[in-house]
DNA sequence: GGATTGACGTGTC
DNA sequence: AGACACGCCAATC
């Protein structure tokens, strides 16, 4: 359970620098999962109960859309956190997504 | 052990 | 530009 796929996802998620975001697919690829981007999102479901504080709000889909914002306690929290980090969010979508996008492979 | 699901991704209509 | 369909893979029921 602990050393399952989730752990790896959380690890990458925690590696995301502040003021930066990443996509599920990018994380999946960093794990070697390739196209199993869904597994990353699926793993994030446990993020709330996993390691203290997984910056799940920094994880968005490839479109820069806050797809998982509804999973937060208050769905608006995700956008709030992102804006707090200096990321501009509009209509549940990240502005300048390319600018704030962080590739996990860049840290590896 | 088979069937279902899921915070996705990419392509096509 | 928005909507629909297919594919992928692991965990849960």
């Amino acid at each position: 359970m602990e050393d399952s796929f989730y752990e790896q996802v959380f690890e990458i998620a925690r590696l995301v620098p502040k003021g930066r975001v990443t996509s599920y697919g990018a994380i999946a690829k960093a794990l070697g999962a390739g196209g199993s981007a869904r597994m990353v999102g699926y793993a994030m479901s446990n993020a709330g109960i996993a390691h203290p504080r997984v910056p799940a709000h920094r994880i968005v889909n490839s479109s820069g859309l806050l797809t998982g914002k509804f999973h937060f306690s208050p769905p608006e929290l995700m956008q709030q956190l992102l804006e707090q980090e200096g990321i501009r969010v509009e209509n549940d979508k990240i502005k300048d997504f390319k600018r704030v996008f962080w590739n996990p492979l860049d840290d590896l």
Side-chain angles (χ1 to χ4, degrees), chain A residues 3-77:
Chain A
D3 47 303
S4 48
F5 209 87
Y6 304 128
E7 279 268 327
Q8 301 189 66
V9 178
F10 301 144
E11 227 179 300
I12 303 291
R14 285 191 272 110
L15 286 174
V16 179
K18 184 176 169 230
R20 287 278 148 80
V21 294
T22 189
S23 60
Y24 304 93
I27 295 175
K29 207 155 195 190
L31 297 176
S36 41
R38 308 184 100 177
M39 312 296 65
V40 179
Y42 193 47
M44 294 311 246
S45 293
N46 291 310
I49 65 164
H51 286 242
R53 242 182 27 182
V54 176
H57 62 271
R58 294 185 190 152
I59 317 297
V60 295
N61 69 350
S62 62
S63 305
L65 200 72
L66 311 184
T67 51
K69 74 171 216 161
F70 290 103
H71 285 250
F72 284 74
S73 323
E76 17 188 274
L77 178 64

Side-chain angles (χ1 to χ4, degrees), chain A residues 58-103:
Chain A
R58 294 185 190 152
I59 317 297
V60 295
N61 69 350
S62 62
S63 305
L65 200 72
L66 311 184
T67 51
K69 74 171 216 161
F70 290 103
H71 285 250
F72 284 74
S73 323
E76 17 188 274
L77 178 64
M78 188 174 192
Q79 181 171 336
Q80 296 251 340
L81 290 168
L82 288 170
E83 292 189 315
Q84 280 182 45
E85 304 205 344
I87 299 175
R88 293 200 177 200
V89 181
E90 189 167 306
N91 210 5
D92 296 347
K93 180 178 119 276
I94 295 183
K95 274 273 201 194
D96 305 310
F97 177 54
K98 287 159 59 170
R99 273 207 283 197
V100 297
F101 178 73
W102 174 81
N103 193 328

